[in-house]
Amino acid sequence: MHLKFALPAVLLALAAAASAGVFPYRFETHTLANGLKVILVPMPAEGLVAYYSIVRTGSRDEVEPGRSGFAHFFEHMMFRGTERFPAGEYDRLITAMGANANAYTTDDYTCYHLSFAAKDLPQVVELEADRFQNLAYTEQDFQTEAGAVYGEYRKGRTNPFEVLEEALRDTAFEVHTYKHTTIGFEADIAAMPGMLDYSRSFFQRFYRPDNVIILVAGEIDPVEATLTLIRQHYGHWQSGYIPPQVPVEPEQTTPRRVEVPYQGRTLPLLAVMWKAPAFDPADLDVAAGLALGELLAGPTSPLYRELVLNRRTVQRLMGQFQAQRDPGLWGVIAQVAEDEHLPEVEKAIADAVAELERRPPAAEHLEAVKAHLRYSFLMSLETPDQLAGELAPWIALTGGVEGVDTFFATLERVTPAEVQRLAAARLRPERSTVAVLKGVE
């Protein structure tokens, strides 16, 4: 359900985007003396504000052997409170103001977000600044949360998609930290309760102002008052972030394959993935790749029409051509109707890739995909929370909002010939990893 103010705002956005860059709102970027970057986006929102704290640390930064899972672990621990605002008091205040507060972790960043009434912004800034600088927890708190994380991991084993991803990553990568999923290797998570001292060093290393970006969107005009609040509460936070040395993945030169047993009943899953470039909004390969994902496996693709609508051998077909900070994976995941259909589905995917290599996609199809990507982006900017949620990955990966317009300008330069060239260069068998998951009774 959309709020009543949303549609006019989006119509204005579309009009603005037609004559200028795609991102329709003005924004300001400020960097404090300690390196904390603050991005402010005033927008009409009927008294609502979104407050996002983006830590540019995710599971990719977990470079020490035996220490995977700590980026996700701190998504949990950051709600344990401080001496000034213990967990119960923090929760009480958030509930009293009617705010929505949550967090999530990815391979590349961790994001803490709140949505609330503009009148509560001073208290939110005070609360968030305190927990980012003064997080406090006992050994018992630590062990309780570590146990909860392991429980979350075990629960994830009941999801065949998570089991597939874990095996796929472990097979596709040799040394890069994308080898483990965001939650981490099981052995590391199981050992986590004995790593109290390491947890505190992790927080001290990565939760520094020069590794955090604060994004505030909504009814914050004029923005000077918001910036003053942030300077007041975050200005004494000590910098000191040192980026970890993330291993560089060697070039893949031979195809890889893994059979994944799933303990239980499930439809079979097939993942066909290829090594992909790191996200760069100015890189034509990146823009062409996101279009390629829709052309290869999107709802308007010949492959989708053949496997899902006509043959009905596939129940779900998903293109996975996401953006990542380092070279990652692009590919296709199919939820197949029966085990016996797996070979023909895999062949159909290979044939679809070969077809894109032989001849470029229709210009009209490509233009429709590009328009859909732009329109979908604009339609995700209706409320402050939606806008901030949409911008968070861009900010985490590039450090700012400017990459939005850069990317869509690059996307405009993508031609059918560029898509054909990219498919021939990137979707090579020697760069592929195939994972097949089947249920085991």
Side-chain angles (χ1 to χ4, degrees):
M1 182 179 294
H2 300 306
L3 298 178
K4 291 182 179 179
F5 69 83
L7 186 57
V10 170
L11 292 176
L12 290 172
L14 289 166
S19 60
V22 168
F23 188 67
Y25 298 106
R26 72 177 180 90
F27 64 92
E28 296 184 10
T29 302
H30 302 269
T31 303
L32 276 56
N34 58 9
L36 179 68
K37 185 177 288 187
V38 182
I39 299 174
L40 305 171
V41 187
M43 61 182 289
E46 293 192 350
L48 296 178
V49 171
Y51 193 95
Y52 277 54
S53 301
I54 302 162
V55 183
R56 299 187 73 194
T57 290
S59 54
R60 73 176 282 277
D61 299 276
E62 296 161 353
V63 298
E64 296 97 339
R67 300 293 189 269
S68 66
F70 272 90
H72 170 256
F73 173 78
F74 270 97
E75 174 198 325
H76 290 244
M77 289 307 297
M78 286 294 288
F79 290 92
R80 281 287 175 175
T82 67
E83 291 184 3
R84 185 180 177 198
F85 297 109
E89 179 65 6
Y90 179 90
D91 292 343
R92 186 190 68 79
L93 291 170
I94 293 297
T95 301
M97 67 177 75
N100 291 322
N102 215 326
Y104 64 90
T105 311
T106 74
D107 293 345
D108 298 312
Y109 65 98
T110 309
C111 182
Y112 302 87
H113 52 97
L114 297 94
S115 179
F116 50 90
K119 65 182 179 59
D120 294 315
L121 179 60
Q123 187 167 48
V124 167
V125 174
E126 183 179 14
L127 288 169
E128 294 305 281
D130 181 56
R131 71 169 174 158
F132 270 76
Q133 296 171 72
N134 303 309
L135 177 67
Y137 52 87
T138 65
E139 183 172 8
Q140 182 178 351
D141 292 335
F142 169 77
Q143 292 182 345
T144 297
E145 209 62 60
V149 170
Y150 189 47
E152 182 179 342
Y153 173 86
R154 296 304 304 166
K155 181 179 179 181
R157 300 298 294 177
T158 65
N159 183 338
F161 286 94
E162 292 192 22
V163 175
L164 177 77
E165 182 187 10
E166 183 178 64
L168 174 67
R169 298 268 210 103
D170 195 29
T171 303
F173 293 97
E174 295 180 11
V175 300
H176 192 281
T177 42
Y178 288 158
K179 185 175 180 68
H180 63 264
T181 62
T182 300
I183 201 168
F185 289 122
E186 181 178 11
D188 298 349
I189 304 165
M192 196 176 278
M195 300 182 192
L196 174 64
D197 290 342
Y198 179 81
S199 76
R200 288 177 170 153
S201 72
F202 187 96
F203 180 76
Q204 290 299 319
R205 287 160 56 206
F206 292 109
Y207 280 68
R208 294 285 188 171
D210 36 343
N211 191 40
V212 175
I213 300 174
I214 293 175
L215 168 64
V216 190
E219 294 284 359
I220 56 169
D221 207 3
V223 299
E224 290 77 11
T226 301
L227 186 59
T228 297
L229 273 173
I230 292 172
R231 288 187 189 278
Q232 175 186 345
H233 289 282
Y234 290 89
H236 298 292
W237 192 7
Q238 293 298 307
S239 61
Y241 169 67
I242 300 175
Q245 297 300 308
V246 179
V248 176
E249 182 71 15
E251 186 72 18
Q252 182 176 337
T253 57
T254 58
R256 299 171 185 172
R257 190 177 189 92
V258 60
E259 301 291 328
V260 187
Y262 175 77
Q263 300 302 317
R265 298 183 62 183
T266 182
L267 293 177
L269 300 177
L270 169 67
V272 182
M273 313 297 285
W274 299 270
K275 291 294 170 58
F279 182 72
D280 177 350
D283 186 344
L284 197 60
D285 275 11
V286 168
L290 295 186
L292 173 60
E294 289 295 315
L295 293 164
L296 176 62
T300 61
S301 68
L303 183 66
Y304 187 95
R305 184 167 57 250
E306 180 65 17
L307 295 180
V308 179
L309 302 180
N310 295 342
R311 295 192 210 172
R312 297 186 180 180
T313 53
V314 169
Q315 295 210 353
R316 295 173 66 188
L317 186 71
M318 298 160 283
Q320 299 284 314
F321 283 68
Q322 67 269 28
Q324 291 197 272
R325 192 166 179 175
D326 297 329
L329 294 175
W330 284 343
V332 179
I333 297 177
Q335 186 176 45
V336 183
E338 300 285 348
D339 287 3
E340 64 190 44
H341 297 313
L342 282 164
E344 65 180 274
V345 171
E346 185 173 348
K347 182 179 184 300
I349 293 172
D351 290 345
V353 171
E355 179 64 20
L356 282 169
E357 293 175 352
R358 276 194 299 269
R359 60 171 61 92
E364 312 84 63
H365 192 186
L366 175 60
E367 288 306 311
V369 165
K370 290 158 65 172
H372 174 72
L373 289 171
R374 289 191 300 270
Y375 183 75
S376 295
F377 173 77
L378 286 168
M379 290 301 293
S380 67
L381 310 180
E382 296 183 3
T383 70
D385 193 47
Q386 289 175 331
L387 180 143
E390 182 69 24
L391 287 184
W394 296 87
I395 292 169
L397 295 179
T398 68
V401 181
E402 296 81 2
V404 171
D405 284 342
T406 300
F407 170 78
F408 283 104
T410 306
L411 182 65
E412 278 303 302
R413 295 166 42 216
V414 174
T415 64
E418 284 293 340
V419 173
Q420 181 187 29
R421 175 195 62 78
L422 184 71
R426 291 280 180 182
L427 308 190
R428 306 298 305 157
E430 64 271 18
R431 298 171 59 87
S432 71
T433 300
V434 176
V436 180
L437 178 143
K438 298 179 184 178
V440 178
E441 293 292 340

